[in-house]
Amino acid sequence: MIKIVPLSEDDILFDEEAAGKALEKAAHRLKPVRFTGVCPIGRQILFVFNECPAEEDDSAAKFVFSKLPSRDFNEVTAVLLSRFTGGFDTLGTFFIGDDLWGLFKRLPKDA
């Protein structure tokens, strides 16, 4: 099974926290799923979840969208390292207009 969650760029710009919660809701399925990809198409961004073994699912994950400070290699790298240190995995990046955005996932420590 595959679950594709489309979000418009405007959904993310208007309320990035609610957009993250939409992905969290998508991860709560009858069959376990985990996030597997991001696919920007026009002004829509598709977020893909694939069926997986229960012990690998993202049902307890917190998804966070974050506008990155620039496109500068060193600044982006610093943000990704900072997020990793804070317990977040980088799932992907995409552009909204000229701005670079990141999608990050955090699993509870006991997961």
Side-chain angles (χ1 to χ4, degrees):
M1 175 195 75
I2 185 172
K3 172 70 178 171
I4 299 173
V5 179
L7 293 174
S8 73
E9 292 177 350
D10 290 337
D11 290 337
I12 297 167
L13 290 172
F14 180 71
D15 191 344
E16 63 195 62
E17 186 175 341
K21 290 190 184 305
L23 296 184
E24 291 166 18
K25 182 178 178 184
H28 290 278
R29 314 300 302 169
L30 292 177
K31 294 185 178 186
V33 295
R34 75 171 168 255
F35 181 86
T36 57
V38 58
C39 181
I41 300 177
R43 293 194 43 86
Q44 294 285 321
I45 304 169
L46 307 178
F47 299 92
V48 182
F49 293 82
N50 289 350
E51 190 172 344
C52 67
E55 63 274 6
E56 298 174 14
D57 81 343
D58 281 336
S59 63
K62 176 176 178 55
F63 292 91
V64 175
F65 289 96
S66 180
K67 185 170 103 171
L68 301 176
S70 75
R71 295 185 194 191
D72 177 77
F73 177 85
N74 292 327
E75 286 185 34
V76 171
T77 301
V79 169
L80 300 182
L81 290 170
S82 175
R83 290 283 181 162
F84 177 77
T85 301
F88 286 88
D89 291 337
T90 302
L91 301 177
T93 61
F94 53 90
F95 286 97
I96 297 179
D98 290 334
D99 295 323
L100 182 61
W101 283 74
L103 175 61
F104 303 90
K105 173 181 80 173
R106 183 178 193 172
L107 291 171
K109 292 199 187 281
D110 59 347

